[in-house]
Amino acid sequence: MSSWPTETKYISHSTPRIDAPAKLTGKARYSSDIQADGWLYGMILRSKWPSAKILSVNLEKARQIPGIKAAVTVKDFPQTIRYYGEEIAAVAGATKAACLDALRVIEIKAEVRHEFVVNEDEARKDNSAQVWDGTTNASAPRVHEQGSVDTAFPECAAVIEGFYTTPVQLHHAMETSGSTTSWTDEGLTSWASTQGISSVRDGLAGALQLDHSKVRVITEYMGGGFGAKFGAGVEGVLAAKLSKEAKAPVRLMLTRFDQALAVGNRPSSFQKIKMGATADGTLHAFEAENYGTAGIGAGGDAGGGGGGADIPMPYLYKVPNTRVKQSMVAVNAGSARAFRAPGNPPASFGMESAMDDLAVKLGMDPLEFRLKNDPNPIRQREYKMGAEKFDWKQKYQKPGSSPGVLKTGIGCAAAAWPAGGASKSTQGEARINPDGGIEFRLGVQDIGTGTRTVIAVVAAEMLGLKPEQITVRVGDTNFPPGPGSGGSTTCASISPTVYDVCTQALRQLQTQSGLADARGENWFAACKKLGVNPLVVHGQWQPGLSDSHACGVQFAEVEVDTETGLVTVKKILGVHDCGLIINKITLESQINGGIIMGMGYALYEERVMDDLSGVVLNPNFETYKLPGIADVPEIEVVLINMPERGVIGIGEPSTVPTAGAIANAVANAIGARVSSLPITPAKILAALGKVPPFVNA
Amino acid sequence: MKAFRYATAHSTDSARELVAGTGAYLAGGNDLLGLLKDYLINAPEILVNIKSLPGLNKIERGDKFWTVGSLVTVAQIENHAEIKMVFPGLHEAASEVASQQIRNVATVGGNLAQHSRCWYFRHRDTVCLKKTGDLCYARNGENRYHSLFTGNTCISPVVSSLATIFTSLGATAIVLREGKETRMSMAELYHRAWENPLAHNSLNNGDLILRVEIPTTRGRSAYLQVSDKHAFDWALVSCAAAAEVRDGKLKSPRVALGSISPVPHQVEAANDFLDGKVLDDAAATHAADMILQDAQPLKHNAYKVPLAHALIRRTLLKLNGDA
Amino acid sequence: MKEPEPENFGAFSRRKFFKSLGTVAATAATAQVQSVAAELEKANAEQVVGPGAVAVTLKVNGEKLKLALEPRVTLLDALRNYSSLTGAKEGCDRATCGACTVLLGDAPVYACQKLAIESQGVEITTVEGLAKNKKLTKVQQAFLDKDALMCGYCTPGFLMSVTALLKINPRPNAADVKRACAGNICRCGTHPRILQAALKAAGVETASKTEVVNYV
């Protein structure tokens, strides 16, 4: 049975990111940097109407713009448009300017519909415009019951009711979606900005009716995904079609504007929660109703894929009597897609806010209340560890009791990432040269998480070499298949695979060379015995080296200016179980990143739709606000090392509890609950009763 | 952007001739290029680079007033050691503008003349009043960032931080209009936006801001703003105060608010009330009440009232010196 | 790939030139010659070019890039799409994210909101121009040591902002670094380490607050 070494030189230590020099010098070529010979610029024309029937599209004038080499439409006509920004046509040309000019002269004949709805509450009304003809916007509610909620509530010593809401959140990776795509006699090559080269290959092959063997996807470097970049996307297929027509490579990257409209989002949530506990602080009854929107991909038609609006409730707490009713509501907006821990950040926010509210009503310390009710022993330990490090007992005060205008408060929240685990079909190979050089090839992606470095670290450890001696190549469908980079499964998929490749390599080297142990100082001698031929070794994922299920708790300290409403996060402490830590320094970066993304969710991010025009009002970074360096607090991290569990994942658990912890800290500071994200100065002032009521003159 | 011709002007006469009604001046370019990229204004046929116009990029000290050329960058103001001492509020306002990358190229003239940031105006597919449409989408729509005061049907507020502080300092803009220098107070510079929904300010096509004269009468000044984020975020409300302080009493005080009205918002009666008063919390509070008295909050921006109130008090009390 | 349209190349405003010549005709001979030369120089400097492609020379990382660009081409577009300098990235094209930050002289600016044609005559530095002879600069090395990058897409922009900061302020404090980097966005969340890296490059060592605890 495979097992990780207990004494390690590299595993669980810190090796600098091996692709850092390429990224730091500008040598790294991302999908949007590829300059294939004779490449053309591609651009998409999108619908400016939220609801319409496109009858015909005339591309003639566009084709005549100097420099334009191809123009295609997306679908057959009539085409039903269901959201502002839906793709209609695309062009490819010698310059960006030519494409811009061409888009402006594409002629569209359309029946514009004035019935559309972009607001969840409006969409739920009986007289609302229908997003999908013939079906209600709201799906039939799914009800899940346990025990007897109706008799349980009267038995409670304290009951709270709240309405906790979260907005639609946008992935907004720094590199937009898209690809540089090119045809040769052998087929199609797509340098895609993707988290899943295999899913892109599959999508392109299907859409273009090509054999899989004729499609190659390459992702050497990509600028972030967070869940939005699986599959070829409309833009991937368009790039291929344009490239075919133009007989030249086409680079089609979405603009930042496009990103806010059409390539996925995290669904919103509207959680009505009623929760009660017995006098000793045991959760006893939980009733909740939640609705949210996944854009057009919800409601009567389940289309949209990968990002339904329902969330796990009552999240990670076990309550004996529950009734949970959830439905999704369709609106005329872009479809949701998986976004870092789908369903969990809103679930954690709602549940943890309710927990604090109930703790306050019971007169209990919210941390004690959690220790009493959280069933998981690892999280119990994490809370206790974190509380001590955070000085919880000393810092905790009754809500709103901090003196002065600048009020401080603390809060906590938990995460459970039930999925994770590994992709068992992961494979890898290594080419070992007689001069001792070794190159690993895995068809996995490094989306910024440090995947390449993990491979180098594991290989170095297993082979007794240094990480800088390991050449790592990833991101090519010509390589043995790897997992899509998602679900916090990548490290747990590739580490055992590299382990196996190394095991096979050593076995074969030892056999061929006659040396009993080919590792470390014997490596070069063993390799020399290969003669002139390289040794190519194949391996695959092995059980027993990885696990699933990751937990974590986070603590937040905030300062709220009760006159201006400005929220400043002073400190966040994350306590996360990490299984076997493969590479400490890149792991910490992942946790930092998750926390900062969670902070954005808590305080700044919100996709705003305009009811009257149906457009996305903030398709930019000006008014869709991301945390900046001036907003980021001191972040402290405790990594719970559990090597006996093997490799688990961290990408998602690290972003789940942050908003809940911050929201609780705010409530603790000001003595009032802001139950709607993002927590803006406007909402703080309203919660403090300082905002004059609006009088409709 | 649509295609345009391009030239660099070396005199204000040639600049005006080259622009000739169908062109636009290119200074820092932050606002202009953004407008062109989203097709928000009539596409200029020519862009005239005015950064080489002589004499417009100087900061000149004087006994009675200082002169800041319209091509002086916001970064130059921020880094000017003497301005920090003489007009601390101006230093503070300049420091808060956008990001350093923008401050390095943004000019005083451009900052004053910048177009509305209303997200309906800035959206390529909502044809609002300012774009000759017949509807203000914000009025009954998403108006969290919009005005508490307005004189017409457009509720987009002025967002120039420099306009706010210049208002409180009693500064004057000197504008070249059809070959002649015209003096405009900040109120006059924005008055047209108060009256006319199509206007962002009172400048005509071809007008060129040459410089701003800042009187030295008010030895103390301060500026504060609050945004959702801690940096690189438009102010929800900004406030500037300036006054002379003699024997502990305010002389010629002025308080102005930004981001809540198409013009920098001042209430004469509040300035008069503060004149001759000892600056304490009670006086500051009363002034704030007066300044916000006639506010007409919209559905989503009423939070700006208490926020502005707090900023007025804090900015005024800053005039008492660093506490 | 991008050829200028010959008939639009260097379009020149003849009307302007002759008009200004006419106003100095009445003066004395030598003065007239000088004035004509001055007027000619001024007229050349004020020549109207475009809208088609024009010769534009950019001095980037110590080398001259001779390009033919329409006036509407931004500096970022010129670097990424008309040369091989793809180090500066396009994150938003609206001067809000900083991924395109380059140095114009010593000043960090957003290349996406500058026209290439107005960026002539000044030294431009991109991320490719930092490391000399494959040796990372102090700032780059600090980013590497502190793991101040993840996907790396925002990294060139941050490198330029921090490099520019240290040039004018070799001993910045945390607040200085935050001001210098406020105009750069990172979605992966590398900010805490960028702060550490910038301070390290300035000679101030800070430690990550991370503890590894064994679960027993």
Side-chain angles (χ1 to χ4, degrees):
Chain A
M1 186 57 163
S2 313
S3 66
W4 295 103
T6 43
E7 297 286 315
T8 60
K9 204 162 167 198
Y10 297 107
I11 289 180
S12 300
H13 300 275
S14 288
T15 296
R17 213 172 278 266
I18 65 174
D19 50 9
K23 291 174 177 174
L24 290 166
T25 54
K27 288 207 169 60
R29 291 266 166 174
Y30 295 74
S31 319
S32 47
D33 295 331
I34 303 293
Q35 294 180 328
D37 265 346
W39 69 276
L40 301 171
Y41 212 98
M43 220 178 258
I44 296 177
L45 178 73
R46 296 181 180 276
S47 171
K48 59 180 182 180
W49 308 289
S51 179
K53 194 153 108 176
I54 309 289
L55 303 170
S56 69
V57 170
N58 187 344
L59 300 171
E60 267 324 295
K61 291 204 177 119
R63 290 209 171 93
Q64 281 155 29
I65 297 284
I68 293 298
K69 304 286 189 235
V72 301
T73 54
V74 176
K75 288 191 169 147
D76 294 327
F77 301 106
Q79 176 189 359
T80 305
I81 297 289
R82 288 195 181 82
Y83 60 93
Y84 175 82
E86 204 172 331
E87 302 87 354
I88 297 177
V91 299
T95 64
K96 182 174 169 178
C99 290
L100 287 169
D101 291 344
L103 289 190
R104 289 206 317 279
V105 299
I106 294 179
E107 293 170 335
I108 304 182
K109 277 209 179 65
E111 272 170 22
V112 180
R113 291 177 171 165
H114 302 285
E115 301 84 37
F116 53 83
V117 61
V118 296
N119 175 278
E120 293 92 327
D121 290 315
E122 289 300 314
R124 294 194 337 140
K125 293 183 178 160
D126 287 330
N127 60 353
S128 166
Q130 286 179 329
V131 176
W132 293 88
D133 286 333
T135 43
T136 58
N137 295 328
S139 64
R142 277 191 278 244
V143 184
H144 189 264
E145 288 193 72
Q146 185 178 285
S148 168
V149 147
D150 298 317
T151 51
F153 271 116
E155 294 165 356
C156 296
V159 175
I160 58 102
E161 288 189 55
F163 187 48
Y164 310 95
T165 67
T166 62
V168 168
Q169 187 187 22
L170 299 173
H171 303 71
H172 273 319
M174 282 312 290
E175 186 188 32
T176 60
S177 303
S179 67
T180 297
T181 301
S182 167
W183 293 82
T184 62
D185 293 330
E186 278 90 55
L188 178 71
T189 304
S190 172
W191 288 269
S193 183
T194 184
Q195 300 171 247
I197 50 177
S198 298
S199 67
V200 174
R201 186 175 85 149
D202 191 60
L204 288 174
L208 302 164
Q209 292 173 330
L210 295 170
D211 289 344
H212 278 136
S213 61
K214 294 263 187 269
V215 181
R216 182 178 176 194
V217 181
I218 301 174
T219 304
E220 219 191 325
Y221 294 94
M222 61 84 83
F226 310 112
K229 293 182 180 174
F230 289 101
V234 173
E235 60 276 356
V237 176
L238 283 174
K241 288 186 171 163
L242 288 168
S243 179
K244 185 145 205 204
E245 185 177 312
K247 295 192 176 34
V250 170
R251 180 203 295 172
L252 203 176
M253 301 300 298
L254 265 56
T255 63
R256 185 55 55 186
F257 176 83
D258 298 341
Q259 292 288 129
L261 312 177
V263 285
N265 51 69
R266 185 191 297 285
S268 55
S269 76
F270 294 77
Q271 308 170 44
K272 196 162 121 185
I273 295 179
K274 182 175 171 186
M275 189 161 78
T278 53
D280 69 347
T282 308
L283 289 173
H284 191 56
F286 177 88
E287 182 169 17
E289 239 187 84
N290 175 47
Y291 58 92
T293 188
I296 57 163
D301 187 291
D310 49 353
I311 66 179
M313 300 174 95
Y315 200 43
L316 39 75
Y317 295 95
K318 298 279 176 278
V319 189
N321 304 287
T322 64
R323 183 189 296 132
V324 176
K325 193 164 129 181
Q326 300 208 57
S327 76
M328 288 169 279
V329 56
V331 299
N332 292 97
S335 188
R337 288 188 192 174
F339 188 166
R340 201 164 185 174
N344 277 242
S348 169
F349 163 73
M351 188 62 193
E352 299 289 8
S353 297
M355 286 293 284
D356 256 42
D357 287 349
L358 186 49
V360 166
K361 193 145 187 201
L362 283 165
M364 261 183 100
D365 178 319
L367 181 62
E368 290 305 315
F369 187 46
R370 283 175 173 79
L371 290 173
K372 190 137 179 83
N373 287 287
D374 191 324
N376 183 290
I378 299 180
R379 278 198 304 270
Q380 288 270 341
R381 189 85 213 288
E382 287 169 341
Y383 270 125
K384 288 179 183 138
M385 234 184 269
E388 201 186 302
K389 204 169 180 68
F390 201 72
D391 231 2
W392 179 274
K393 282 255 165 339
Q394 279 73 355
K395 282 186 175 164
Y396 183 72
Q397 300 175 72
K398 288 227 163 350
S401 59
S402 162
V405 169
L406 294 178
K407 296 201 183 296
T408 53
I410 57 176
C412 62
W417 186 241
S423 171
K424 301 185 167 109
S425 56
T426 305
Q427 298 170 41
E429 77 180 14
R431 299 176 75 85
I432 302 161
N433 287 324
D435 62 8
I438 178 168
E439 179 179 290
F440 278 79
R441 295 181 180 184
L442 281 86
V444 69
Q445 301 76 209
D446 189 333
I447 63 173
T449 48
T451 306
R452 270 195 187 87
T453 310
V454 163
I455 294 169
V457 164
V458 173
E461 190 72 60
M462 301 309 298
L463 301 174
L465 300 172
K466 297 186 185 140
E468 49 266 40
Q469 291 174 291
I470 315 287
T471 303
V472 178
R473 296 186 58 200
V474 301
D476 192 328
T477 47
N478 280 356
F479 296 166
S485 299
S488 306
T489 59
T490 310
C491 202
S493 303
I494 59 167
S495 304
T497 303
V498 174
Y499 178 107
D500 187 53
V501 173
C502 290
T503 308
Q504 305 296 338
L506 288 172
R507 190 173 297 148
Q508 293 196 40
L509 265 180
Q510 276 147 202
T511 304
Q512 283 206 38
S513 69
L515 288 167
D517 184 356
R519 290 178 302 172
E521 52 195 18
N522 294 339
W523 175 261
F524 289 98
C527 291
K528 208 157 173 210
K529 295 268 167 68
L530 291 170
V532 295
N533 284 343
L535 174 65
V536 180
V537 181
H538 188 97
Q540 59 191 64
W541 184 84
Q542 294 295 316
L545 296 165
S546 62
D547 200 355
S548 65
H549 204 103
C551 300
V553 306
Q554 289 179 7
F555 295 78
E557 183 179 336
V558 306
E559 178 187 88
V560 182
D561 185 326
T562 53
E563 286 183 350
T564 64
L566 183 67
V567 177
T568 303
V569 182
K570 306 297 279 184
K571 185 170 165 178
I572 302 219
L573 167 66
V575 185
H576 286 274
D577 50 290
C578 304
L580 170 71
I581 298 170
I582 294 289
N583 194 34
K584 182 159 156 280
I585 195 171
T586 46
L587 166 61
E588 295 168 274
S589 290
Q590 268 283 66
I591 297 180
N592 284 347
I595 288 173
I596 291 168
M597 191 171 262
M599 186 175 95
Y601 190 51
L603 300 177
Y604 309 124
E605 298 181 47
E606 179 187 358
R607 183 196 69 185
V608 181
M609 305 294 298
D610 178 56
D611 287 334
L612 191 55
S613 63
V615 307
V616 175
L617 265 185
N618 56 351
N620 53 53
F621 285 144
E622 182 190 354
T623 41
Y624 186 94
K625 306 185 183 192
L626 296 179
I629 196 170
D631 305 303
V632 172
E634 182 193 319
I635 297 177
E636 232 184 282
V637 170
V638 174
L639 309 174
I640 310 284
N641 191 32
M642 297 172 78
E644 66 279 10
R645 291 191 64 199
V647 183
I648 64 175
I650 195 65
E652 284 159 303
S654 57
T655 203
V656 168
T658 319
I662 291 175
N664 285 338
V666 169
N668 179 246
I670 66 175
R673 168 65 66 185
V674 175
S675 60
S676 152
L677 297 184
I679 300 173
T680 58
K683 291 180 187 171
I684 296 281
L685 291 171
L688 291 170
K690 296 189 171 181
V691 178
F694 166 64
V695 175
N696 203 341
Chain B
M1 293 190 261
K2 291 188 190 170
F4 47 78
R5 298 189 303 142
Y6 173 89
T8 299
H10 289 271
S11 75
T12 50
D13 283 341
S14 358
R16 207 173 77 252
E17 262 192 68
L18 288 164
V19 155
T22 56
Y25 295 126
L26 175 65
N30 265 300
D31 195 29
L32 179 62
L33 295 190
L35 293 168
L36 298 185
K37 284 176 180 176
D38 285 315
Y39 309 105
L40 302 176
I41 58 174
N42 287 332
E45 189 268 330
I46 179 173
L47 257 60
V48 179
N49 181 354
I50 56 171
K51 290 188 283 295
S52 297
L53 291 181
L56 298 186
N57 62 353
K58 303 262 178 299
I59 298 175
E60 278 160 359
R61 50 185 73 68
D63 285 330
K64 292 242 162 55
F65 62 87
W66 281 51
T67 306
V68 177
S70 62
L71 289 178
V72 169
T73 64
V74 177
Q76 280 175 267
I77 295 185
E78 180 194 2
N79 296 326
H80 200 279
E82 235 188 300
I83 282 195
K84 191 172 178 183
M85 293 200 318
V86 179
F87 302 114
L90 178 55
H91 166 82
E92 285 152 12
S95 314
E96 300 262 18
V97 170
S99 65
Q100 66 146 0
Q101 288 95 325
I102 287 180
R103 294 195 293 274
N104 282 333
V105 304
T107 61
V108 169
N111 185 282
L112 291 174
Q114 70 183 289
H115 284 42
S116 164
R117 296 314 301 194
C118 167
W119 45 18
Y120 293 100
F121 171 74
R122 289 280 163 178
H123 200 289
R124 59 181 73 164
D125 288 319
T126 45
V127 185
C128 71
L129 293 180
K130 267 197 171 21
K131 293 187 277 191
T132 71
D134 38 34
L135 170 63
C136 169
Y137 287 79
R139 195 165 275 281
N140 294 315
E142 294 291 340
N143 51 40
R144 69 185 79 172
Y145 298 131
H146 292 70
S147 296
L148 293 173
F149 303 88
T150 184
N152 70 77
T153 42
C154 170
I155 55 171
S156 148
V158 65
V159 294
S160 161
S161 333
L162 298 188
T164 314
I165 184 66
F166 282 152
T167 301
S168 68
L169 288 168
T172 305
I174 286 81
V175 177
L176 188 63
R177 172 172 283 177
E178 286 170 16
K180 281 162 68 170
E181 290 196 359
T182 313
R183 298 180 70 82
M184 294 190 197
S185 65
M186 287 301 119
E188 286 163 340
L189 184 58
Y190 292 100
H191 184 68
R192 193 177 294 166
W194 179 263
E195 296 185 320
N196 183 349
L198 283 165
H200 301 270
N201 49 55
S202 311
L203 299 173
N204 296 334
N205 272 344
D207 281 358
L208 183 64
I209 302 177
L210 296 176
R211 60 189 181 276
V212 176
E213 288 176 3
I214 316 170
T216 52
T217 36
R218 296 175 182 85
R220 308 226 184 152
S221 59
Y223 172 92
L224 284 174
Q225 70 178 54
V226 169
S227 312
D228 288 324
K229 286 169 52 172
H230 295 81
F232 198 20
D233 193 15
W234 292 100
L236 298 170
V237 179
S238 67
C239 180
E244 192 55 52
V245 178
R246 291 226 191 109
D247 306 321
K249 295 192 178 130
L250 291 171
K251 188 162 153 40
S252 309
R254 279 173 164 231
V255 181
L257 288 174
S259 298
I260 53 145
S261 165
V263 310
H265 180 71
Q266 262 202 115
V267 173
E268 281 303 316
N271 293 336
D272 291 340
F273 162 76
L274 287 168
D275 200 16
K277 295 269 186 317
V278 168
L279 181 53
D280 61 12
D281 202 59
T285 302
H286 190 74
D289 291 340
M290 293 177 80
I291 293 169
L292 294 165
Q293 191 171 294
D294 295 324
Q296 291 184 308
L298 304 157
K299 189 160 186 213
H300 301 292
N301 74 353
Y303 72 91
K304 289 197 181 195
V305 177
L307 176 45
H309 200 276
L311 282 184
I312 293 167
R313 279 182 282 119
R314 292 182 188 186
T315 315
L316 273 172
L317 291 173
K318 267 183 91 168
L319 297 182
N320 275 340
D322 286 321
Chain C
M1 168 171 118
K2 331 289 172 187
E3 295 294 324
E5 312 293 328
E7 54 274 18
N8 284 331
F9 187 92
F12 178 70
S13 174
R14 299 177 64 76
R15 182 188 70 87
K16 232 207 123 303
F17 169 62
F18 285 121
K19 184 170 178 211
S20 54
L21 262 190
T23 61
V24 301
T27 60
T30 41
Q32 190 178 40
V33 166
Q34 285 169 348
S35 295
V36 166
E39 285 300 314
L40 192 57
E41 198 202 306
K42 193 167 121 188
N44 280 336
E46 287 183 347
Q47 70 187 38
V48 179
V49 299
V54 181
V56 172
T57 303
L58 298 173
K59 287 195 253 176
V60 189
N61 301 331
E63 297 199 359
K64 284 205 174 126
L65 279 180
K66 294 202 166 130
L67 306 170
L69 305 172
E70 292 183 26
R72 61 175 155 167
V73 171
T74 63
L75 176 57
L76 182 66
D77 194 2
L79 292 169
R80 290 182 56 72
N81 303 326
Y82 293 76
S83 88
S84 61
L85 295 168
T86 57
K89 306 295 180 207
E90 180 174 323
C92 72
D93 198 36
R94 291 293 187 280
T96 55
C97 81
C100 70
T101 305
V102 300
L103 303 187
L104 278 193
D106 287 335
V109 302
Y110 295 136
C112 70
Q113 214 86 311
K114 270 243 155 281
L115 299 176
I117 198 169
E118 60 168 335
S119 307
Q120 303 182 89
V122 64
E123 293 294 332
I124 300 168
T125 313
T126 70
V127 68
E128 291 99 330
L130 292 180
K132 301 273 186 278
N133 297 324
K134 300 199 174 167
K135 184 164 149 61
L136 299 181
T137 63
K138 266 208 305 219
V139 174
Q140 288 169 312
Q141 187 62 47
F143 269 57
L144 192 153
D145 294 338
K146 292 296 184 184
D147 203 37
L149 63 149
M150 291 183 75
C151 82
Y153 205 72
C154 74
T155 306
F158 272 102
L159 284 171
M160 303 320 292
S161 290
V162 174
T163 301
L165 168 68
L166 291 176
K167 240 190 200 157
I168 56 161
N169 181 0
R171 317 241 85 188
N173 57 25
D176 296 328
V177 175
K178 289 182 185 184
R179 277 187 71 70
C181 296
N184 293 76
I185 292 182
C186 169
R187 192 44 159 162
C188 294
T190 60
H191 315 80
R193 289 177 149 186
I194 287 175
L195 178 57
Q196 287 176 4
L199 292 173
K200 177 168 178 147
V204 179
E205 184 63 55
T206 54
S208 263
K209 294 198 170 170
T210 307
E211 209 188 307
V212 178
V213 173
N214 292 321
Y215 186 88
V216 254

